[in-house]
Amino acid sequence: MTRLFRGRHFLDLADFSKEELLFLLDVAADLKKRWLLGECPKILEGKIVALLFEKPSLRTRVSFEVATRQLGGESFYLGPQEVGLGKREAVKDVALVLGRMVDAIVLRTFAHETVLEMAKYSSVPVINGLSDLHHPCQVLGDLFTILEKKGTLNVKIAFIGDGNNVCHSWIVAAARLGLFLVVSTPERYKPSQCIWDWAQEEAKKSGAEILYEPDPRKAVQSVDVIYTDVWASMGKEGELEERIPFFLPYQVNEDLLAFASSEVMVMHCMPAHRGQEITDGVIDGPHSVVIDEAENRLHAQKAILSLLL
Ligand code: CP
């Protein structure tokens, strides 16, 4: 199985089969188990990873940097001021040059087209560290967290809030892995129709159930996991004031949790805007697993790097 990953890009969970995604999760679990025992196999010895980020980051940057170092490799960070991706220099040229010097590129950018172009011209694996369409590294870590906490992916998940990149990666993951996912967003902030239609076709093969329910109180009934994210991101931050009235009914708060199972687990990819999409009481409360979820980015990133490199 490991040979199937070598040299591939990691742009979208849809690029991987169900078996490959489950294998990535197995590797993440194994690497975490070994890390807890104080073992870090030096799988990346001699490898150099470039982190090319056009947007700020805590979890993605730190987890990739620490993962690379713990596995014996080295990484360096290129922020927006340094490269001027697509402005100072064409994406194609950056890809061609970096491909001669490093072993992998983690790219965090705005337009998903930039990720696709980088991958098209890069001779080394490109990892999508977030684009406007997908956040596959996040959702891989989230799947790992669900497996760790619930012992199975055979759970019901409700995504509450904005139909954004994280929501898209959840839809793709559910479709590929045959999961139950209910998406609850305001009508005008629904996920991409194109991704939705792809997922519904894919669900016919995988047995996934992917539903839309505009009422968040109905969406959280009888689910095992409630997942949320910020209400305005990826360059839409200036729309926040305009968005708030639409999103207020979708706040993950104590009132909403009253409609859910007493065992429900609450997840958030972070950074969280406390008092907006989630209240302090919920994010700091007994249902929340957000800090474990953030930690698991490290182990998921290790699995991705180990297999692609
Ligand atoms: N969830 C996530 O990607 O966090 P950062 O933006 O801090 O990397």
Side-chain angles (χ1 to χ4, degrees):
M1 182 63 102
T2 52
R3 276 185 296 117
L4 294 176
F5 289 88
R6 188 153 303 172
R8 281 170 72 179
H9 301 303
F10 191 88
L11 312 181
D12 173 356
L13 297 176
D15 300 336
F16 295 87
S17 67
K18 175 176 180 175
E19 292 68 31
E20 288 170 338
L21 291 176
L22 293 176
F23 187 68
L24 272 158
L25 294 169
D26 273 352
V27 171
D30 180 56
L31 288 167
K32 180 168 184 179
K33 196 163 70 182
R34 293 166 78 170
W35 177 74
L36 289 170
L37 293 170
E39 292 173 23
C40 273
K42 301 300 176 206
I43 298 165
L44 298 186
E45 199 150 10
K47 304 287 187 193
I48 299 180
V49 178
L51 275 72
L52 179 49
F53 279 34
E54 292 195 290
K55 288 173 56 53
S57 169
L58 174 68
R59 281 145 291 272
T60 308
R61 177 178 175 179
V62 175
S63 59
F64 270 108
E65 294 220 24
V66 173
T68 306
R69 274 190 231 174
Q70 289 188 350
L71 294 174
E74 288 176 54
S75 66
F76 62 90
Y77 176 80
L78 292 167
Q81 305 308 322
E82 281 138 307
V83 177
L85 200 60
K87 299 182 188 85
R88 178 176 174 272
E89 192 156 10
V91 175
K92 174 180 176 176
D93 292 340
V94 174
L96 291 169
V97 171
L98 279 178
R100 296 289 182 96
M101 298 187 189
V102 303
D103 298 287
I105 302 165
V106 182
L107 176 60
R108 166 166 284 216
T109 188
F110 291 91
H112 192 67
E113 287 74 25
T114 307
V115 175
L116 297 178
E117 194 169 1
M118 185 71 74
K120 181 174 173 188
Y121 293 105
S122 169
S123 57
V124 297
V126 173
I127 298 167
N128 180 3
L130 178 140
S131 68
D132 59 358
L133 219 49
H134 297 287
H135 199 355
C137 297
Q138 176 66 50
V139 172
L140 189 75
D142 297 335
L143 290 164
F144 176 43
T145 303
I146 292 175
L147 260 179
E148 193 176 51
K149 300 284 181 193
K150 301 281 186 187
T152 174
L153 290 178
N154 189 18
V155 293
K156 294 185 173 182
I157 302 151
F159 186 100
I160 309 291
D162 187 19
N164 62 10
N165 48 5
V166 175
C167 181
H168 291 162
S169 285
W170 263 111
I171 292 168
V172 172
R176 216 4 90 78
L177 293 169
L179 311 181
F180 179 99
L181 175 71
V182 54
V183 173
S184 187
T185 69
E187 184 70 31
R188 66 189 277 180
Y189 298 106
K190 283 167 95 168
S192 145
Q193 192 62 46
C194 178
I195 291 174
W196 189 264
D197 292 344
W198 174 87
Q200 295 302 337
E201 279 307 305
E202 189 68 20
K204 290 177 191 160
K205 292 177 254 168
S206 68
E209 222 176 317
I210 304 171
L211 312 170
Y212 176 72
E213 170 51 68
D215 183 343
R217 291 165 301 181
K218 288 187 186 157
V220 301
Q221 277 171 21
S222 68
V223 298
D224 305 289
V225 178
I226 296 174
Y227 196 105
T228 192
D229 189 10
V230 295
W231 290 341
S233 59
M234 299 305 300
K236 301 280 195 319
E237 291 80 354
E239 294 179 11
L240 182 62
E241 288 308 311
E242 171 196 330
R243 286 177 171 232
I244 282 175
F246 293 95
F247 280 102
L248 269 179
Y250 295 84
Q251 185 184 64
V252 177
N253 56 29
E254 291 80 346
D255 292 343
L256 186 66
L257 256 58
F259 288 87
S261 149
S262 58
E263 303 291 314
V264 78
M265 185 165 98
V266 174
M267 300 180 76
H268 190 309
C269 54
M270 304 181 93
H273 292 177
R274 291 164 174 262
Q276 289 182 21
E277 75 277 0
I278 194 162
T279 55
D280 282 329
V282 173
I283 197 169
D284 298 328
H287 297 277
S288 170
V289 296
V290 300
I291 304 302
D292 292 340
E293 179 185 357
E295 181 203 313
N296 280 339
R297 294 290 305 275
L298 173 64
H299 311 296
Q301 258 60 292
K302 280 185 181 174
I304 296 167
L305 289 168
S306 308
L307 288 169
L308 302 186
L309 297 187

Short mmCIF file of all heavy atoms in Angstrom, two decimals, residues 121-176:
data_model
loop_
_atom_site.label_atom_id
_atom_site.label_comp_id
_atom_site.label_asym_id
_atom_site.label_seq_id
_atom_site.Cartn_x
_atom_site.Cartn_y
_atom_site.Cartn_z
N TYR A 121 2.92 21.79 -12.14
CA TYR A 121 4.30 22.05 -12.56
C TYR A 121 5.34 21.58 -11.56
O TYR A 121 6.54 21.65 -11.85
CB TYR A 121 4.48 23.55 -12.85
CG TYR A 121 3.68 23.98 -14.05
CD1 TYR A 121 2.50 24.72 -13.92
CD2 TYR A 121 4.08 23.60 -15.32
CE1 TYR A 121 1.76 25.08 -15.04
CE2 TYR A 121 3.35 23.96 -16.44
CZ TYR A 121 2.18 24.70 -16.29
OH TYR A 121 1.45 25.03 -17.39
N SER A 122 4.90 21.12 -10.38
CA SER A 122 5.88 20.71 -9.38
C SER A 122 6.30 19.27 -9.60
O SER A 122 5.45 18.39 -9.81
CB SER A 122 5.28 20.86 -7.98
OG SER A 122 6.12 20.24 -7.04
N SER A 123 7.60 19.03 -9.51
CA SER A 123 8.10 17.66 -9.64
C SER A 123 8.11 16.95 -8.29
O SER A 123 8.48 15.78 -8.21
CB SER A 123 9.51 17.69 -10.23
OG SER A 123 10.34 18.48 -9.40
N VAL A 124 7.72 17.65 -7.23
CA VAL A 124 7.67 17.03 -5.90
C VAL A 124 6.23 17.16 -5.37
O VAL A 124 5.46 17.99 -5.85
CB VAL A 124 8.66 17.72 -4.91
CG1 VAL A 124 10.09 17.54 -5.39
CG2 VAL A 124 8.33 19.20 -4.70
N PRO A 125 5.86 16.33 -4.38
CA PRO A 125 4.49 16.39 -3.88
C PRO A 125 4.09 17.78 -3.37
O PRO A 125 4.86 18.45 -2.67
CB PRO A 125 4.48 15.38 -2.72
CG PRO A 125 5.57 14.42 -3.06
CD PRO A 125 6.63 15.23 -3.75
N VAL A 126 2.89 18.19 -3.76
CA VAL A 126 2.29 19.43 -3.25
C VAL A 126 1.16 19.02 -2.31
O VAL A 126 0.32 18.19 -2.66
CB VAL A 126 1.75 20.30 -4.40
CG1 VAL A 126 0.98 21.50 -3.85
CG2 VAL A 126 2.89 20.76 -5.30
N ILE A 127 1.16 19.60 -1.12
CA ILE A 127 0.13 19.30 -0.11
C ILE A 127 -0.71 20.55 0.07
O ILE A 127 -0.17 21.64 0.32
CB ILE A 127 0.81 18.88 1.22
CG1 ILE A 127 1.62 17.59 1.00
CG2 ILE A 127 -0.24 18.70 2.32
CD1 ILE A 127 2.57 17.27 2.13
N ASN A 128 -2.00 20.40 -0.07
CA ASN A 128 -2.91 21.54 0.10
C ASN A 128 -3.11 21.83 1.59
O ASN A 128 -3.83 21.11 2.28
CB ASN A 128 -4.25 21.22 -0.58
CG ASN A 128 -5.25 22.35 -0.45
OD1 ASN A 128 -4.93 23.40 0.11
ND2 ASN A 128 -6.46 22.15 -0.94
N GLY A 129 -2.46 22.87 2.05
CA GLY A 129 -2.58 23.27 3.46
C GLY A 129 -3.75 24.22 3.68
O GLY A 129 -3.80 24.87 4.73
N LEU A 130 -4.66 24.32 2.75
CA LEU A 130 -5.90 25.10 2.75
C LEU A 130 -6.00 25.94 1.48
O LEU A 130 -5.05 26.63 1.10
CB LEU A 130 -6.00 26.01 3.98
CG LEU A 130 -7.23 26.92 4.10
CD1 LEU A 130 -7.73 26.98 5.54
CD2 LEU A 130 -6.89 28.31 3.64
N SER A 131 -7.15 25.82 0.86
CA SER A 131 -7.49 26.69 -0.28
C SER A 131 -8.96 27.08 -0.10
O SER A 131 -9.62 26.60 0.82
CB SER A 131 -7.29 25.95 -1.60
OG SER A 131 -8.25 24.92 -1.72
N ASP A 132 -9.46 27.92 -1.00
CA ASP A 132 -10.86 28.34 -0.83
C ASP A 132 -11.85 27.20 -1.04
O ASP A 132 -13.00 27.29 -0.61
CB ASP A 132 -11.19 29.54 -1.75
CG ASP A 132 -10.99 29.24 -3.23
OD1 ASP A 132 -10.55 28.12 -3.58
OD2 ASP A 132 -11.26 30.14 -4.05
N LEU A 133 -11.40 26.11 -1.65
CA LEU A 133 -12.32 25.01 -1.94
C LEU A 133 -12.22 23.85 -0.96
O LEU A 133 -13.20 23.17 -0.69
CB LEU A 133 -12.04 24.51 -3.37
CG LEU A 133 -13.22 24.12 -4.23
CD1 LEU A 133 -14.30 25.18 -4.23
CD2 LEU A 133 -12.76 23.82 -5.65
N HIS A 134 -11.00 23.58 -0.47
CA HIS A 134 -10.80 22.38 0.35
C HIS A 134 -9.83 22.63 1.50
O HIS A 134 -8.95 23.50 1.39
CB HIS A 134 -10.22 21.24 -0.50
CG HIS A 134 -11.12 20.78 -1.60
ND1 HIS A 134 -12.25 20.03 -1.38
CD2 HIS A 134 -11.05 20.97 -2.94
CE1 HIS A 134 -12.84 19.77 -2.54
NE2 HIS A 134 -12.14 20.34 -3.50
N HIS A 135 -9.97 21.81 2.55
CA HIS A 135 -9.00 21.79 3.64
C HIS A 135 -8.79 20.31 4.02
O HIS A 135 -9.17 19.86 5.10
CB HIS A 135 -9.50 22.61 4.82
CG HIS A 135 -8.42 23.02 5.78
ND1 HIS A 135 -7.10 22.62 5.66
CD2 HIS A 135 -8.46 23.81 6.89
CE1 HIS A 135 -6.39 23.13 6.64
NE2 HIS A 135 -7.19 23.85 7.41
N PRO A 136 -8.15 19.55 3.13
CA PRO A 136 -8.09 18.10 3.32
C PRO A 136 -7.26 17.67 4.52
O PRO A 136 -7.59 16.66 5.16
CB PRO A 136 -7.48 17.59 2.01
CG PRO A 136 -6.73 18.76 1.45
CD PRO A 136 -7.50 19.97 1.87
N CYS A 137 -6.20 18.41 4.85
CA CYS A 137 -5.37 18.02 5.99
C CYS A 137 -6.17 18.14 7.29
O CYS A 137 -6.05 17.31 8.20
CB CYS A 137 -4.13 18.91 6.08
SG CYS A 137 -3.05 18.76 4.66
N GLN A 138 -7.00 19.18 7.36
CA GLN A 138 -7.85 19.36 8.54
C GLN A 138 -8.79 18.18 8.72
O GLN A 138 -8.89 17.59 9.80
CB GLN A 138 -8.66 20.66 8.39
CG GLN A 138 -9.64 20.90 9.52
CD GLN A 138 -8.94 21.15 10.84
OE1 GLN A 138 -8.05 21.96 10.93
NE2 GLN A 138 -9.35 20.43 11.89
N VAL A 139 -9.47 17.83 7.65
CA VAL A 139 -10.51 16.80 7.80
C VAL A 139 -9.89 15.42 7.99
O VAL A 139 -10.45 14.58 8.70
CB VAL A 139 -11.53 16.88 6.63
CG1 VAL A 139 -12.49 15.71 6.65
CG2 VAL A 139 -12.31 18.20 6.75
N LEU A 140 -8.69 15.19 7.46
CA LEU A 140 -8.01 13.93 7.76
C LEU A 140 -7.75 13.83 9.27
O LEU A 140 -8.00 12.80 9.90
CB LEU A 140 -6.70 13.80 6.97
CG LEU A 140 -6.07 12.42 7.08
CD1 LEU A 140 -6.82 11.40 6.23
CD2 LEU A 140 -4.60 12.45 6.68
N GLY A 141 -7.26 14.93 9.86
CA GLY A 141 -7.03 14.96 11.31
C GLY A 141 -8.34 14.78 12.08
O GLY A 141 -8.38 14.12 13.12
N ASP A 142 -9.42 15.35 11.55
CA ASP A 142 -10.72 15.24 12.22
C ASP A 142 -11.24 13.80 12.19
O ASP A 142 -11.80 13.30 13.18
CB ASP A 142 -11.75 16.14 11.54
CG ASP A 142 -11.37 17.61 11.63
OD1 ASP A 142 -10.64 17.98 12.56
OD2 ASP A 142 -11.82 18.38 10.77
N LEU A 143 -11.06 13.15 11.04
CA LEU A 143 -11.49 11.74 10.93
C LEU A 143 -10.70 10.90 11.93
O LEU A 143 -11.26 10.01 12.59
CB LEU A 143 -11.24 11.23 9.51
CG LEU A 143 -12.15 11.81 8.43
CD1 LEU A 143 -11.55 11.56 7.04
CD2 LEU A 143 -13.56 11.25 8.51
N PHE A 144 -9.43 11.21 12.05
CA PHE A 144 -8.59 10.49 13.01
C PHE A 144 -9.10 10.71 14.44
O PHE A 144 -9.18 9.78 15.24
CB PHE A 144 -7.14 10.95 12.83
CG PHE A 144 -6.17 10.37 13.82
CD1 PHE A 144 -6.23 9.02 14.16
CD2 PHE A 144 -5.20 11.14 14.42
CE1 PHE A 144 -5.35 8.48 15.08
CE2 PHE A 144 -4.32 10.61 15.34
CZ PHE A 144 -4.39 9.27 15.67
N THR A 145 -9.50 11.93 14.73
CA THR A 145 -10.01 12.24 16.07
C THR A 145 -11.31 11.47 16.35
O THR A 145 -11.51 10.93 17.45
CB THR A 145 -10.24 13.76 16.21
OG1 THR A 145 -9.00 14.42 15.92
CG2 THR A 145 -10.72 14.14 17.59
N ILE A 146 -12.18 11.39 15.35
CA ILE A 146 -13.44 10.65 15.54
C ILE A 146 -13.14 9.17 15.78
O ILE A 146 -13.70 8.54 16.69
CB ILE A 146 -14.39 10.86 14.34
CG1 ILE A 146 -14.87 12.32 14.31
CG2 ILE A 146 -15.59 9.91 14.41
CD1 ILE A 146 -15.71 12.70 13.11
N LEU A 147 -12.23 8.63 14.97
CA LEU A 147 -11.86 7.21 15.14
C LEU A 147 -11.30 6.96 16.53
O LEU A 147 -11.63 5.98 17.18
CB LEU A 147 -10.79 6.85 14.12
CG LEU A 147 -11.21 6.11 12.87
CD1 LEU A 147 -10.00 5.88 11.98
CD2 LEU A 147 -11.88 4.79 13.21
N GLU A 148 -10.45 7.89 16.97
CA GLU A 148 -9.80 7.75 18.27
C GLU A 148 -10.82 7.81 19.42
O GLU A 148 -10.77 7.05 20.36
CB GLU A 148 -8.80 8.89 18.40
CG GLU A 148 -7.82 8.76 19.51
CD GLU A 148 -6.83 9.92 19.46
OE1 GLU A 148 -7.24 11.09 19.39
OE2 GLU A 148 -5.62 9.64 19.51
N LYS A 149 -11.77 8.76 19.28
CA LYS A 149 -12.72 8.98 20.38
C LYS A 149 -13.87 7.99 20.36
O LYS A 149 -14.39 7.60 21.41
CB LYS A 149 -13.31 10.40 20.30
CG LYS A 149 -12.29 11.51 20.37
CD LYS A 149 -11.80 11.71 21.77
CE LYS A 149 -10.80 12.85 21.85
NZ LYS A 149 -10.08 12.86 23.13
N LYS A 150 -14.34 7.65 19.14
CA LYS A 150 -15.54 6.82 19.03
C LYS A 150 -15.22 5.37 18.65
O LYS A 150 -16.11 4.52 18.68
CB LYS A 150 -16.50 7.40 17.97
CG LYS A 150 -16.96 8.83 18.26
CD LYS A 150 -18.06 8.83 19.30
CE LYS A 150 -18.64 10.22 19.50
NZ LYS A 150 -19.59 10.28 20.61
N GLY A 151 -13.98 5.13 18.21
CA GLY A 151 -13.58 3.78 17.84
C GLY A 151 -14.10 3.33 16.49
O GLY A 151 -13.89 2.19 16.08
N THR A 152 -14.80 4.21 15.77
CA THR A 152 -15.39 3.87 14.49
C THR A 152 -15.71 5.15 13.73
O THR A 152 -15.87 6.21 14.34
CB THR A 152 -16.69 3.06 14.69
OG1 THR A 152 -17.31 2.86 13.41
CG2 THR A 152 -17.68 3.77 15.59
N LEU A 153 -15.80 5.01 12.39
CA LEU A 153 -16.29 6.15 11.60
C LEU A 153 -17.77 5.96 11.29
O LEU A 153 -18.37 6.76 10.57
CB LEU A 153 -15.50 6.26 10.29
CG LEU A 153 -14.04 6.72 10.43
CD1 LEU A 153 -13.36 6.76 9.07
CD2 LEU A 153 -13.95 8.10 11.09
N ASN A 154 -18.34 4.91 11.83
CA ASN A 154 -19.77 4.64 11.63
C ASN A 154 -20.58 5.50 12.61
O ASN A 154 -21.22 4.99 13.52
CB ASN A 154 -20.03 3.15 11.82
CG ASN A 154 -21.43 2.79 11.42
OD1 ASN A 154 -22.10 3.54 10.71
ND2 ASN A 154 -21.91 1.65 11.90
N VAL A 155 -20.47 6.81 12.41
CA VAL A 155 -21.14 7.76 13.30
C VAL A 155 -21.89 8.77 12.44
O VAL A 155 -21.65 8.87 11.24
CB VAL A 155 -20.13 8.52 14.20
CG1 VAL A 155 -19.46 7.59 15.18
CG2 VAL A 155 -19.08 9.24 13.36
N LYS A 156 -22.79 9.50 13.06
CA LYS A 156 -23.54 10.54 12.34
C LYS A 156 -22.94 11.90 12.69
O LYS A 156 -22.75 12.22 13.87
CB LYS A 156 -25.02 10.49 12.74
CG LYS A 156 -25.68 9.21 12.26
CD LYS A 156 -27.16 9.21 12.55
CE LYS A 156 -27.81 7.99 11.90
NZ LYS A 156 -29.25 7.96 12.11
N ILE A 157 -22.65 12.67 11.65
CA ILE A 157 -21.96 13.95 11.83
C ILE A 157 -22.85 15.08 11.31
O ILE A 157 -23.41 14.96 10.20
CB ILE A 157 -20.62 13.94 11.05
CG1 ILE A 157 -19.74 12.77 11.53
CG2 ILE A 157 -19.87 15.27 11.20
CD1 ILE A 157 -18.82 12.23 10.49
N ALA A 158 -22.95 16.15 12.07
CA ALA A 158 -23.67 17.35 11.59
C ALA A 158 -22.67 18.47 11.43
O ALA A 158 -21.96 18.82 12.39
CB ALA A 158 -24.75 17.75 12.59
N PHE A 159 -22.59 19.04 10.23
CA PHE A 159 -21.77 20.22 10.01
C PHE A 159 -22.71 21.42 10.07
O PHE A 159 -23.62 21.55 9.26
CB PHE A 159 -21.06 20.17 8.64
CG PHE A 159 -20.09 21.30 8.46
CD1 PHE A 159 -18.73 21.11 8.66
CD2 PHE A 159 -20.54 22.58 8.15
CE1 PHE A 159 -17.83 22.17 8.54
CE2 PHE A 159 -19.65 23.65 8.03
CZ PHE A 159 -18.30 23.43 8.22
N ILE A 160 -22.45 22.33 11.02
CA ILE A 160 -23.34 23.46 11.26
C ILE A 160 -22.59 24.76 10.96
O ILE A 160 -21.53 25.00 11.53
CB ILE A 160 -23.78 23.50 12.76
CG1 ILE A 160 -24.33 22.14 13.22
CG2 ILE A 160 -24.78 24.62 13.01
CD1 ILE A 160 -25.64 21.73 12.63
N GLY A 161 -23.14 25.59 10.08
CA GLY A 161 -22.52 26.91 9.85
C GLY A 161 -22.37 27.25 8.39
O GLY A 161 -23.34 27.19 7.63
N ASP A 162 -21.15 27.62 8.01
CA ASP A 162 -20.88 28.10 6.65
C ASP A 162 -20.51 26.94 5.72
O ASP A 162 -19.69 26.09 6.09
CB ASP A 162 -19.71 29.11 6.73
CG ASP A 162 -19.45 29.82 5.41
OD1 ASP A 162 -20.36 29.84 4.56
OD2 ASP A 162 -18.34 30.36 5.25
N GLY A 163 -21.05 26.94 4.53
CA GLY A 163 -20.72 25.89 3.56
C GLY A 163 -19.38 26.16 2.91
O GLY A 163 -19.29 26.33 1.69
N ASN A 164 -18.33 26.19 3.71
CA ASN A 164 -17.02 26.66 3.26
C ASN A 164 -16.09 25.49 2.88
O ASN A 164 -16.53 24.35 2.69
CB ASN A 164 -16.40 27.53 4.35
CG ASN A 164 -16.17 26.74 5.65
OD1 ASN A 164 -16.29 25.51 5.68
ND2 ASN A 164 -15.82 27.42 6.70
N ASN A 165 -14.78 25.80 2.80
CA ASN A 165 -13.79 24.79 2.40
C ASN A 165 -13.75 23.58 3.34
O ASN A 165 -13.62 22.44 2.88
CB ASN A 165 -12.39 25.44 2.27
CG ASN A 165 -12.03 26.31 3.47
OD1 ASN A 165 -12.76 26.39 4.46
ND2 ASN A 165 -10.89 26.98 3.38
N VAL A 166 -13.90 23.82 4.65
CA VAL A 166 -13.87 22.69 5.59
C VAL A 166 -15.13 21.84 5.39
O VAL A 166 -15.06 20.60 5.34
CB VAL A 166 -13.76 23.21 7.05
CG1 VAL A 166 -13.85 22.05 8.03
CG2 VAL A 166 -12.44 23.95 7.25
N CYS A 167 -16.25 22.51 5.20
CA CYS A 167 -17.50 21.80 4.90
C CYS A 167 -17.33 20.97 3.63
O CYS A 167 -17.74 19.80 3.57
CB CYS A 167 -18.63 22.81 4.76
SG CYS A 167 -20.23 22.08 4.42
N HIS A 168 -16.70 21.55 2.61
CA HIS A 168 -16.49 20.81 1.35
C HIS A 168 -15.66 19.55 1.59
O HIS A 168 -15.98 18.48 1.07
CB HIS A 168 -15.76 21.69 0.33
CG HIS A 168 -16.59 22.83 -0.17
ND1 HIS A 168 -16.05 23.93 -0.79
CD2 HIS A 168 -17.93 23.03 -0.16
CE1 HIS A 168 -17.01 24.76 -1.12
NE2 HIS A 168 -18.16 24.25 -0.74
N SER A 169 -14.59 19.69 2.37
CA SER A 169 -13.75 18.51 2.61
C SER A 169 -14.51 17.46 3.41
O SER A 169 -14.30 16.25 3.23
CB SER A 169 -12.43 18.90 3.29
OG SER A 169 -11.57 19.50 2.34
N TRP A 170 -15.42 17.92 4.27
CA TRP A 170 -16.26 16.96 5.00
C TRP A 170 -17.21 16.23 4.06
O TRP A 170 -17.44 15.03 4.18
CB TRP A 170 -17.06 17.67 6.12
CG TRP A 170 -16.36 17.51 7.43
CD1 TRP A 170 -15.75 18.47 8.16
CD2 TRP A 170 -16.16 16.27 8.11
NE1 TRP A 170 -15.16 17.90 9.27
CE2 TRP A 170 -15.41 16.56 9.27
CE3 TRP A 170 -16.52 14.95 7.87
CZ2 TRP A 170 -15.02 15.58 10.17
CZ3 TRP A 170 -16.13 13.96 8.77
CH2 TRP A 170 -15.40 14.28 9.90
N ILE A 171 -17.76 16.96 3.10
CA ILE A 171 -18.68 16.35 2.13
C ILE A 171 -17.93 15.31 1.30
O ILE A 171 -18.42 14.19 1.08
CB ILE A 171 -19.32 17.44 1.24
CG1 ILE A 171 -20.25 18.31 2.08
CG2 ILE A 171 -20.07 16.83 0.07
CD1 ILE A 171 -20.72 19.59 1.38
N VAL A 172 -16.72 15.68 0.88
CA VAL A 172 -15.91 14.75 0.08
C VAL A 172 -15.55 13.51 0.91
O VAL A 172 -15.68 12.37 0.44
CB VAL A 172 -14.63 15.46 -0.43
CG1 VAL A 172 -13.68 14.46 -1.08
CG2 VAL A 172 -14.98 16.57 -1.40
N ALA A 173 -15.13 13.73 2.15
CA ALA A 173 -14.75 12.60 3.02
C ALA A 173 -15.94 11.67 3.24
O ALA A 173 -15.81 10.44 3.16
CB ALA A 173 -14.23 13.13 4.36
N ALA A 174 -17.10 12.26 3.51
CA ALA A 174 -18.29 11.45 3.76
C ALA A 174 -18.63 10.63 2.52
O ALA A 174 -18.92 9.42 2.60
CB ALA A 174 -19.46 12.35 4.14
N ALA A 175 -18.57 11.28 1.36
CA ALA A 175 -18.92 10.60 0.11
C ALA A 175 -17.97 9.44 -0.16
O ALA A 175 -18.38 8.35 -0.54
CB ALA A 175 -18.89 11.59 -1.04
N ARG A 176 -16.68 9.68 0.02
CA ARG A 176 -15.69 8.65 -0.28
C ARG A 176 -15.72 7.50 0.73
O ARG A 176 -15.58 6.33 0.38
CB ARG A 176 -14.33 9.33 -0.24
CG ARG A 176 -13.21 8.97 -1.15
CD ARG A 176 -13.41 7.99 -2.19
NE ARG A 176 -13.87 8.42 -3.49
CZ ARG A 176 -13.15 8.99 -4.44
NH1 ARG A 176 -11.89 9.25 -4.24
NH2 ARG A 176 -13.67 9.28 -5.60
#
